[in-house]
Amino acid sequence: NAGVMQNPRHLVRRRGQEARLRCSPMKGHSHVYWYRQLPEEGLKFMVYLQKENIIDESGMPKERFSAEFPKEGPSILRIQQVVRGDSAAYFCASSPGRWAERVNEQFFGPGTRLTVL
Amino acid sequence: GESVGLHLPTLSVQEGDNSIINCAYSNSASDYFIWYKQESGKGPQFIIDIRSNMDKRQGQRVTVLLNKTVKHLSLQIAATQPGDSAVYFCAEARDNYGQNFVFGPGTRLSVLP
């Protein structure tokens, strides 16, 4: 059973370009979370999605950032017109549905390290 | 606002000794707590969790203690090994499905030979 998969693992963009980060949750998981981690800091929640729905985006910057989790395919975190301050590691986590025994356990992917030049 | 923080940003221990990593939380409504281990270049890995109706939970070589009175959480690692070297994060959440986690800043554990 493959874990949470993220790609690319490393992404380099120039200021003003777009960054697309992909996340495939664990098999059978219907909840996806995105977190951002700056060097030497903890993870900061960005957005929580279920299939085709954004449930909580209270941690998302108001501009340039968007996320989706379509019916088919991976979840996508999109950052438009990237700036140097967007450089960070972006982690995706997935969890099972509400009727699972451990409903709140989140499994993390390896992350995507975004570098903005 | 609510926050989760750690008392010690770095901790060095001798191999074979026990390690204790501490965490303070401020949201009294949180009722689910988790410890994660993060090795360099990797995502956080679940270690152990505890719900607020418990004050102690044990796993393999790890024990989590929860003191709700002073809003304090600790992770104890017995017989620390070189493979335990990593950054450890505590996180808090409400114990309902679909709750996002609030992470502390992390403690770096270095195991000395």
Side-chain angles (χ1 to χ4, degrees):
Chain A
N1 185 14
V4 178
M5 300 178 70
Q6 291 187 249
N7 66 83
R9 294 292 309 277
H10 300 275
L11 182 61
V12 179
R13 285 287 179 266
R14 296 190 181 278
R15 283 179 295 171
Q17 292 184 321
E18 179 179 281
R20 285 197 179 196
L21 289 63
R22 289 176 289 276
C23 168
S24 296
M26 287 182 69
K27 184 178 181 180
H29 285 192
S30 56
H31 301 222
V32 166
Y33 309 78
W34 285 94
Y35 293 82
R36 176 164 62 178
Q37 184 179 35
L38 296 174
E40 301 297 310
E41 292 189 10
L43 285 74
K44 297 290 193 291
F45 167 77
M46 299 180 73
V47 62
Y48 160 48
L49 311 102
Q50 294 181 23
K51 284 286 187 181
E52 299 185 278
N53 285 303
I54 296 174
I55 307 303
D56 180 357
E57 56 182 347
S58 59
M60 286 279 272
K62 294 290 187 281
E63 298 178 347
R64 301 188 298 108
F65 285 72
S66 62
E68 62 177 6
F69 189 15
K71 185 176 181 181
E72 301 291 338
S75 176
I76 305 288
L77 178 67
R78 182 182 294 111
I79 311 172
Q80 297 177 302
Q81 299 176 336
V82 296
V83 300
R84 288 209 173 117
D86 297 332
S87 295
Y90 292 83
F91 290 95
C92 167
S94 72
S95 66
R98 65 183 301 175
W99 304 118
E101 179 179 350
R102 300 172 69 90
V103 296
N104 214 4
E105 185 171 351
Q106 295 184 14
F107 297 82
F108 283 82
T112 293
R113 279 146 187 86
L114 172 65
T115 301
V116 180
L117 302 177
Chain B
E2 293 90 7
S3 66
V4 178
L6 298 175
H7 297 300
L8 297 174
T10 60
L11 177 66
S12 296
V13 298
Q14 291 292 140
E15 181 178 354
D17 287 351
N18 297 334
S19 302
I20 300 177
I21 302 172
N22 296 302
C23 177
Y25 65 95
S26 59
N27 185 357
S28 57
S30 293
D31 46 17
Y32 180 64
F33 305 89
I34 319 95
W35 280 100
Y36 280 94
K37 171 186 180 182
Q38 186 177 27
E39 296 175 285
S40 180
K42 297 183 179 179
Q45 177 185 1
F46 174 90
I47 301 174
I48 192 168
D49 60 0
I50 189 168
R51 287 178 165 80
S52 59
N53 60 349
M54 304 173 67
D55 53 20
K56 180 179 180 179
R57 189 155 189 242
Q58 287 185 293
Q60 187 176 16
R61 283 202 306 121
V62 295
T63 300
V64 55
L65 300 177
L66 175 63
N67 186 330
K68 295 180 287 293
T69 302
V70 294
K71 296 177 188 169
H72 184 267
L73 192 68
S74 69
L75 176 70
Q76 300 178 2
I77 305 174
T80 311
Q81 302 170 358
D84 295 327
S85 293
V87 178
Y88 290 81
F89 295 97
C90 66
E92 61 173 316
R94 294 299 307 275
D95 193 14
N96 295 315
Y97 86 105
Q99 296 297 314
N100 70 80
F101 292 170
V102 176
F103 281 81
T107 292
R108 183 176 303 279
L109 176 65
S110 295
V111 181
L112 306 174

